């Protein structure tokens, strides 16, 4: 009923306003319908309450409510601790944040972009709710049998992206007949992508050995470490996102031969990344126990998680240097150097540090986990030195005239 009402509002508002000779006429109808709906809801509440009383009177021996039937405000906090609830909430927010603005501006879009007549422009978006009415039972039955509702939504979103790319007339579009492997471009992709992929894969594998050191402190420490590795993404994601933007910015400016502007953009990306990291770090330090308890409420686990967060989090500022500068070098087509620096820092140096610390100095938790900040420091220093001594123009992938070039 809601979808049909939306379709009627989009399809019939303009004809009704013209028939009545006033643009306020559709608003008046909506107000009347709203009042009718509100009164109907109030009547329903009164009748439902009366029905409950009659039912309790007819069944006097069955009117005791169990604890599960009573509503408690604490249930809201229980729901807030369920990760699936937040996943679904974020997915719905993202979905409707795209749908509602589109419905608001769809009519104007049809007129301005596709040159549809104003009389007919509102009818095209009005077809969407009708399509929803028809397709919801179909996909609902698939969901009831197979599940995986989030996967279905992601597949649908991917299909919509493909359709838009096929039908757009903008610079970025998909032309199936032109799909083929371009060997020069493939070589450049391999040149930039393979070193980065190897560096990430080997670093992730080496972290397995780091986990073995953590496991020696018991299950509570393992639980605290797991919570820490989840929460630290709050500080890593902003700087990594800005690092990706630095990669794009450097590549675009080097394509025009403007190295000073590329380096200026890197400096600004670093400053913003450091500010964002500090801004996120403060609540993490303050609410470390509460954030750890979100994953595990056991006091020992909370104590370990809060200790790790408060000891390691201040050093995430160091990551800004190696993340942003390494991303800038990748944007200049220089992935080999960043791979070597990061592997030597995050794998070789860290493993040597952990071995020496655990066997010859101190097999305590904090000295061992300080291997992470120590690796960040070594990597940041090496990356900064290399960044200042290298020239972007000697490794760029695109010449000033926009043609592809492979200098190395």
């Amino acid at each position: 009923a809601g979808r049909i009402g939306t379709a009627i509002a989009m399809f019939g508002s303009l004809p009704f306003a013209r028939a009545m000779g006033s643009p306020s006429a559709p608003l008046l109808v909506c107000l009347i319908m709203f009042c009718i709906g509100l009164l109907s809801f109030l009547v329903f509440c009164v009748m439902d309450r009366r029905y409950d009383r009659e039912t309790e009177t007819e069944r006097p021996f069955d009117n005791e409510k169990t604890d599960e039937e009573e509503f408690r405000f604490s249930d809201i906090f229980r729901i807030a601790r369920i990760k699936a609830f937040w996943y679904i909430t974020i997915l719905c927010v993202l979905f409707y944040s795209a749908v509602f603005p589109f419905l608001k501006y769809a009519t104007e879009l049809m007129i301005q972009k596709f040159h549809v007549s104003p009389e007919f422009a509102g009818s095209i978006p009005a077809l969407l709710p009708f399509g929803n009415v028809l397709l919801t039972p179909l996909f609902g039955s698939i969901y009831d049998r197979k599940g995986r509702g989030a996967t279905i939504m992601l597949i649908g979103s991917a299909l919509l992206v493909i359709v838009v790319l096929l039908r757009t007339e903008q610079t970025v579009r998909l032309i199936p007949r032109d799909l083929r492997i371009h060997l020069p471009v493939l070589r450049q992709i391999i040149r930039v992508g393979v070193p980065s992929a190897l560096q990430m894969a080997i670093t992730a594998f080496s972290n397995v050995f780091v986990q073995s050191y953590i496991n020696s402190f018991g299950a509570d420490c393992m639980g605290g470490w797991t919570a820490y590795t989840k929460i630290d993404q709050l500080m890593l994601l902003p700087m990594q996102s800005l690092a990706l933007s630095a990669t794009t910015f450097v590549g675009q400016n080097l394509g025009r031969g403007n190295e000073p502007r590329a380096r200026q953009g890197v400096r600004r990306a670093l400053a913003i990344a450091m500010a964002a990291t500090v801004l996120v770090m403060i609540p993490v330090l303050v609410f470390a126990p509460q954030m750890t308890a979100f994953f595990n409420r056991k006091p020992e686990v909370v104590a370990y998680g809060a200790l790790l967060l408060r000891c390691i989090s201040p050093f995430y500022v160091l990551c800004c240097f190696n993340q942003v500068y390494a991303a800038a070098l990748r944007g200049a087509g220089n992935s080999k150097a960043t791979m070597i620096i990061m592997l030597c820092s995050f794998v070789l140096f860290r493993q040597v540090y952990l071995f020496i610390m655990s066997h010859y100095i101190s097999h305590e938790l904090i000295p061992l986990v300080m291997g992470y900040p120590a690796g960040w420091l070594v990597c940041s220093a090496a990356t900064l030195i290399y960044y200042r001594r290298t020239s972007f123009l000697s490794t760029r992938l695109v010449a000033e005239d926009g043609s592809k070039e492979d200098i190395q």
Side-chain angles (χ1 to χ4, degrees):
R3 307 299 182 189
I4 295 176
T6 301
I8 293 174
M10 298 176 68
F11 185 80
S13 295
L14 182 59
F16 184 74
R18 287 184 173 177
M20 300 300 295
S22 173
S24 302
L27 297 176
L28 179 60
V29 173
C30 291
L31 179 61
I32 294 173
M33 298 298 293
F34 173 78
C35 294
I36 293 174
L38 179 61
L39 291 174
S40 301
F41 173 74
L42 295 176
V43 171
F44 169 80
C45 291
V46 172
M47 296 181 66
D48 183 65
R49 182 60 180 166
R50 181 181 300 175
Y51 175 77
D52 290 339
R53 291 175 180 174
E54 293 176 356
T55 305
E56 292 175 359
T57 303
E58 294 174 359
R59 295 186 298 174
F61 300 103
D62 194 25
N63 59 357
E64 295 183 359
K65 295 183 179 180
T66 62
D67 294 338
E68 290 77 13
E69 293 175 345
E70 295 179 356
F71 172 77
R72 300 176 179 177
F73 284 101
S74 60
D75 295 337
I76 299 176
F77 298 100
R78 288 185 181 179
I79 295 174
R81 296 191 188 102
I82 301 174
K83 290 192 289 185
F85 166 77
W86 290 107
Y87 292 152
I88 295 173
T89 300
I90 294 172
L91 185 62
C92 291
V93 169
L94 292 175
F95 175 75
Y96 286 107
S97 65
V99 171
F100 288 149
F102 174 77
L103 292 177
K104 181 176 181 179
Y105 299 106
T107 302
E108 187 69 18
L109 175 67
M110 296 299 164
I111 297 173
Q112 299 295 334
K113 182 173 179 59
F114 299 103
H115 307 292
V116 179
S117 63
E119 293 78 9
F120 185 67
S123 304
I124 299 176
L127 297 175
L128 296 177
F130 286 115
N132 199 328
V133 171
L134 297 175
L135 295 176
T136 296
L138 172 62
F139 289 104
S141 62
I142 296 175
Y143 174 73
D144 291 338
R145 293 196 303 268
K146 302 293 184 180
R148 300 184 179 277
T151 303
I152 294 174
M153 291 184 67
L154 291 174
I155 293 174
S157 301
L159 293 175
L160 287 175
V161 170
I162 294 174
V163 171
V164 171
L165 291 175
L166 287 171
R167 299 188 59 84
T168 186
E169 307 211 350
Q170 302 298 323
T171 304
V172 180
R173 61 183 182 273
L174 179 61
I175 305 175
R177 66 176 180 272
D178 291 339
L179 289 176
R180 61 178 60 89
I181 296 177
H182 298 269
L183 292 179
V185 177
L186 179 61
R187 283 196 297 268
Q188 293 175 343
I189 292 174
I190 294 174
R191 170 182 160 185
V192 176
V194 170
S196 300
L198 286 175
Q199 172 249 310
M200 295 179 67
I202 296 174
T203 303
F205 179 73
S206 70
N207 287 335
V208 175
F209 299 97
V210 178
Q211 184 68 48
S212 66
Y213 290 94
I214 303 298
N215 295 349
S216 63
F217 292 95
D220 294 334
C221 183
M222 293 166 57
W225 178 262
T226 302
Y228 155 74
T229 57
K230 301 295 183 184
I231 299 170
D232 77 334
Q233 297 300 312
L234 294 173
M235 292 173 284
L236 282 174
L237 288 176
M239 71 176 74
Q240 289 174 345
S241 300
L242 288 162
L244 289 175
S245 66
T247 300
T248 304
F249 187 83
V250 169
Q252 290 176 339
N253 282 275
L254 292 183
R256 303 300 301 171
N258 195 345
E259 183 177 4
R261 189 168 185 267
R263 291 186 179 273
Q264 182 184 25
V266 174
R267 289 193 296 270
R268 292 183 178 179
L270 176 62
I272 298 173
M274 294 178 66
T277 302
V278 172
L279 186 64
V280 177
M281 182 197 308
I282 293 174
V284 171
L285 293 174
V286 174
F287 301 105
Q290 292 81 358
M291 298 179 77
T292 305
F294 186 80
F295 297 93
N296 194 318
R297 300 186 65 83
K298 189 175 180 180
E300 293 79 5
V301 175
V302 172
Y304 273 115
L307 176 65
L308 292 169
L309 284 171
R310 286 172 173 168
C311 289
I312 302 177
S313 294
F315 296 98
Y316 274 91
V317 177
L318 297 172
C319 291
C320 297
F321 289 90
N322 61 63
Q323 291 293 322
V324 174
Y325 284 139
L329 291 169
R330 294 190 193 103
N334 192 350
S335 292
K336 295 179 183 178
T338 59
M339 177 190 71
I340 295 172
I341 292 173
M342 288 192 170
L343 287 180
C344 291
S345 304
F346 295 160
V347 179
L348 180 60
F349 172 82
R350 187 174 292 164
Q351 294 300 326
V352 172
Y353 172 93
L354 291 172
F355 180 82
I356 295 175
M357 181 63 68
S358 61
H359 287 79
Y360 300 104
I361 301 177
S362 174
H363 192 71
E364 299 293 330
L365 177 62
I366 296 304
L368 286 177
V369 297
M370 284 296 108
Y372 273 88
W376 298 338
L377 177 61
V378 171
C379 183
S380 297
T383 306
L384 177 60
I385 294 172
Y386 183 83
Y387 173 84
R388 291 186 177 277
R389 294 190 176 185
T390 189
S391 173
F392 283 166
L393 297 178
S394 63
T395 57
R396 62 179 178 175
L397 299 177
V398 180
E400 290 187 31
D401 58 357
S403 62
K404 307 293 182 183
E405 64 177 4
D406 195 355
I407 296 175
Q408 291 183 347

